[in-house]
Amino acid sequence: MSTKLLLLLALVKVVPLAAQQPSDWKKGAVCYEVFVRSFYDSDGDGIGDLNGLTQKLDYINGLGVRCVWLMPIMSSPSYHGYDATDYYRVKPDYGTNADFKRFVTAAHQRGIRVLIDMVLNHASNEHPFFEDALLKPDSPYRDWFRFSATDPGTKGPWGQQVWHRSPVRDEYYYGVFWSGMPDLNYTTPAVREEAKRVARFWLEEMNVDGFRLDAVPYLVEEGDKLSGSPGTHAFLHEYEDYLRTVKPDAFTVGEVWDSVGSMLPYYPNQLDDYFAFAASDAIVDAVRNGSAKSLLPNFLRLQHEQPQDRWSPFLRNHDQTRTLTALGGDVTRARLAVTLLLTLPGFPFLYYGEEIGMTGDKPDPRLRTPMQWNRTPAAGFTRGHIAWEPLQADSFTANVEVEDADSTSLLNLHRRLIRLRSGNSALGSGLLIPLSASNDAVAAYVRRDGNRTVLVVANLGSAPAARVTVTSQDSVLPPGRYALKSLLGAVSGDVPMLSVGTGGRIRNYAPMRSLGRGESFVFEIGNNSK
Ligand SMILES: [Ca+2]
Ligand SMILES: [Ca+2]
């Protein structure tokens, strides 16, 4: 490519996806999880759909996210879609395969990558292959599932029933989650090949950029090893290798809902990335408990073990009580939580509606309620009268329209933080260096890469914290005096210069006279002014 053309490309506002280095795009990026059914209904039937999602792409782009993960969009009898009946066809409620392709094209035009949920572990009990296997003992699909002539009676990984009685004859089949979701048998070569064929279809024909893989620890059962078996790891490795041959920069993120220690066996050569559940819980817990003590250990361990673009923190996903509800409706705490999430390392994910402080608690449909767009009875989600699931009660006050107009809103804080992260290499990919604060309620850390250094200080406590000082155990910066500049709005009063002594340590530095309740600061540490 000529230098002239390179220069031209650099000047184009949106860098075409193909021109980006395969792994570069995750640096400083945020990915947005969307439940299509609840995002925007384009035709008034009360169900969100792909055309509606396409119509709202400018909103998503305006958040500054560079990637979306769509919860299941394949044909399925359930509202959530985690039980497919056809892996090659979009759920008719959501539209057609052509609608999906138009969505992907429109997302790519905005530089937004598209990941879709891929549910490999199980199909629906209404999937034609399972129905065939259930009905006919000589079905070619018998060994695509796991049948047993007698009830093995064994329980699942969390003590649940996993062997379900066939409704047709005296036998049992295996389903780790539910009788409506029979597990596919990945020891059968044809099942592994089919999983690859499905992946190829979505990568090539539908042009997606990758997958979020559901429930990966449960893929292969080996004796009484129902989770994290050697066969599961081997299959993930095989699957990822296959994706590389189809689309070298395809991206995969897996759900391993477990501790950091239990995530680590899924590296280095299986999926690209996994959700960091334990690190995510640490953020919400720290903010809820008003204590910074257990905030950083999981992040530091992950940082030590794996590159930052290979683990993904978040606040909440579609299976969990929404952040604002978990924080007792306290918006100040919700602001702290997202400030921590988007200034800590990793490749963060954001669940739709969290940016406007949507609320919701179990049962599951209440965690996935329609997006609140404006102050109308259906919150602008549908022009029909009835949404598929009732809105949350606060849709008149917590919605995009209201928060858009308020520069101090949670929504605008999200936009600022997402942009800050993408534009500041220290926040995007810098090393996390923990600081100890003189007050346990205060979180303090530095992010630093080769060029830039950022200091984050946040009071998680329920009272103001006066004269808080921060200290580093290790070398943070070359010795000298540094000026601090706030990256998140104006700061009242002067911020004292930071003196870094020999050894590069920060010692008893007090950036502010007092930190108000819920107050946080993100400072750029300027050039050495010595
Ligand atoms: Ca619709
Ligand atoms: Ca399985």
Side-chain angles (χ1 to χ4, degrees):
M1 198 181 285
S2 73
T3 40
K4 210 170 181 180
L5 187 55
L6 277 171
L7 196 67
L8 255 173
L9 275 175
L11 292 172
V12 175
K13 204 171 169 193
V14 175
V15 180
L17 292 180
Q20 297 176 9
Q21 289 302 308
S23 59
D24 270 351
W25 70 275
K26 294 190 286 292
K27 216 168 251 183
V30 175
C31 194
Y32 189 60
E33 178 189 359
V34 176
F35 186 35
V36 174
R37 188 176 211 82
S38 276
F39 207 63
Y40 185 62
D41 171 23
S42 69
D43 58 6
D45 68 354
I47 296 174
D49 46 58
L50 289 163
N51 288 337
L53 185 60
T54 304
Q55 289 170 29
K56 292 296 187 184
L57 261 172
D58 285 333
Y59 169 78
I60 293 173
N61 195 32
L63 291 173
V65 299
R66 298 277 50 96
C67 159
V68 289
W69 149 30
L70 307 187
M71 287 165 62
I73 53 158
M74 297 169 193
S75 292
S76 157
S78 67
Y79 83 92
H80 51 72
Y82 281 99
D83 46 349
T85 44
D86 186 344
Y87 282 87
Y88 297 92
R89 197 162 69 103
V90 161
K91 201 176 177 60
D93 280 350
Y94 293 175
T96 64
N97 284 15
D99 293 334
F100 181 80
K101 287 185 190 181
R102 277 192 294 275
F103 165 73
V104 173
T105 301
H108 286 174
Q109 282 166 352
R110 291 162 175 82
I112 295 173
R113 289 176 194 248
V114 178
L115 313 179
I116 59 164
D117 228 307
M118 184 63 82
V119 186
L120 296 179
N121 180 65
H122 50 263
S124 165
N125 63 342
E126 295 176 32
H127 192 290
F129 293 179
F130 183 72
E131 289 186 331
D132 196 70
L134 201 62
L135 289 171
K136 303 182 210 147
D138 61 346
S139 161
Y141 300 110
R142 281 291 282 190
D143 61 0
W144 283 49
F145 302 91
R146 300 183 66 211
F147 288 96
S148 172
T150 55
D151 182 4
T154 49
K155 297 289 183 190
W158 51 95
Q160 79 280 29
Q161 185 189 350
V162 290
W163 288 98
H164 310 283
R165 198 186 162 84
S166 160
V168 185
R169 65 175 57 80
D170 192 16
E171 65 178 0
Y172 296 80
Y173 65 91
Y174 183 82
V176 73
F177 288 103
W178 175 49
S179 60
M181 294 175 171
D183 276 44
L184 286 152
N185 182 358
Y186 279 87
T187 63
T188 297
V191 172
R192 296 202 297 274
E193 291 316 305
E194 178 63 14
K196 293 175 195 168
R197 201 164 78 94
V198 169
R200 175 184 284 276
F201 171 78
W202 287 94
L203 289 171
E204 284 187 342
E205 176 67 22
M206 305 295 259
N207 207 19
V208 301
D209 302 289
F211 306 112
R212 177 267 184 187
L213 288 125
D214 186 57
V216 293
Y218 310 109
L219 284 175
V220 184
E221 302 78 26
E222 290 180 325
D224 58 2
K225 192 106 175 105
L226 302 177
S227 171
S229 70
T232 289
H233 294 300
F235 177 70
L236 290 171
H237 180 53
E238 177 185 334
Y239 186 77
E240 184 74 14
D241 274 359
Y242 176 76
L243 300 190
R244 292 276 156 266
T245 68
V246 177
K247 195 173 259 192
D249 67 340
F251 172 72
T252 49
V253 53
E255 180 197 30
V256 178
W257 194 336
D258 216 322
S259 64
V260 173
S262 300
M263 276 170 79
L264 295 177
Y266 292 83
Y267 298 96
N269 53 8
Q270 297 164 56
L271 303 182
D272 292 316
D273 184 20
Y274 301 91
F275 292 110
F277 279 85
S280 308
D281 287 343
I283 299 179
V284 178
D285 290 348
V287 171
R288 184 170 44 205
N289 301 333
S291 167
K293 280 198 285 190
S294 55
L295 174 66
L296 297 183
N298 282 313
F299 283 89
L300 291 166
R301 182 161 180 211
L302 282 163
Q303 167 175 272
H304 178 70
E305 298 283 352
Q306 292 297 330
Q308 289 189 21
D309 62 356
R310 299 204 62 186
W311 44 277
S312 284
F314 53 96
L315 294 179
R316 290 300 159 120
N317 70 18
H318 61 279
D319 287 323
Q320 299 171 313
T321 301
R322 284 212 181 251
T323 304
L324 187 59
T325 302
L327 297 175
D330 184 341
V331 176
T332 300
R333 289 193 196 277
R335 294 173 72 91
L336 278 174
V338 71
T339 302
L340 297 177
L341 174 70
L342 295 179
T343 56
L344 281 165
F347 173 27
F349 276 63
L350 171 69
Y351 183 43
Y352 84 95
E354 292 280 286
E355 73 274 23
I356 53 170
M358 273 174 62
T359 52
D361 211 339
K362 294 256 181 185
D364 286 347
R366 301 308 293 158
L367 311 173
R368 309 164 183 173
T369 53
M371 181 71 176
Q372 297 165 190
W373 294 102
N374 62 32
R375 296 162 55 95
T376 59
F381 163 72
T382 176
R383 64 168 187 267
H385 294 296
I386 298 181
W388 77 273
E389 172 75 12
L391 301 166
Q392 297 292 349
D394 60 358
S395 69
F396 263 66
T397 47
N399 61 60
V400 172
E401 182 184 33
V402 166
E403 295 191 29
D404 209 18
D406 173 3
S407 65
T408 68
S409 67
L410 188 61
L411 172 60
N412 280 315
L413 176 65
H414 276 76
R415 289 169 172 156
R416 278 200 298 279
L417 285 166
I418 291 169
R419 285 201 157 65
L420 197 58
R421 188 179 183 87
S422 69
N424 185 306
S425 57
L427 289 174
S429 55
L431 188 71
L432 169 67
I433 305 169
L435 302 183
S436 56
S438 56
N439 183 328
D440 282 345
V442 175
Y445 46 89
V446 162
R447 299 287 310 284
R448 184 185 173 194
D449 75 344
N451 304 309
R452 304 179 77 166
T453 309
V454 168
L455 167 67
V456 178
V457 181
N459 179 9
L460 314 183
S462 46
R467 291 181 296 280
V468 174
T469 62
V470 298
T471 296
S472 73
Q473 205 64 42
D474 304 309
S475 170
V476 177
L477 287 161
R481 279 168 62 76
Y482 297 85
L484 269 63
K485 186 182 98 185
S486 170
L487 296 175
L488 264 191
V491 174
S492 61
D494 286 339
V495 182
M497 297 286 282
L498 167 66
S499 289
V500 176
T502 49
R505 287 180 59 193
I506 293 174
R507 290 173 202 257
N508 300 319
Y509 173 62
M512 309 296 294
R513 296 170 78 127
S514 175
L515 288 161
R517 175 189 174 273
E519 205 166 24
S520 61
F521 296 96
V522 181
F523 294 114
E524 175 117 42
I525 300 182
N527 290 329
N528 189 339
S529 63
K530 188 178 172 182

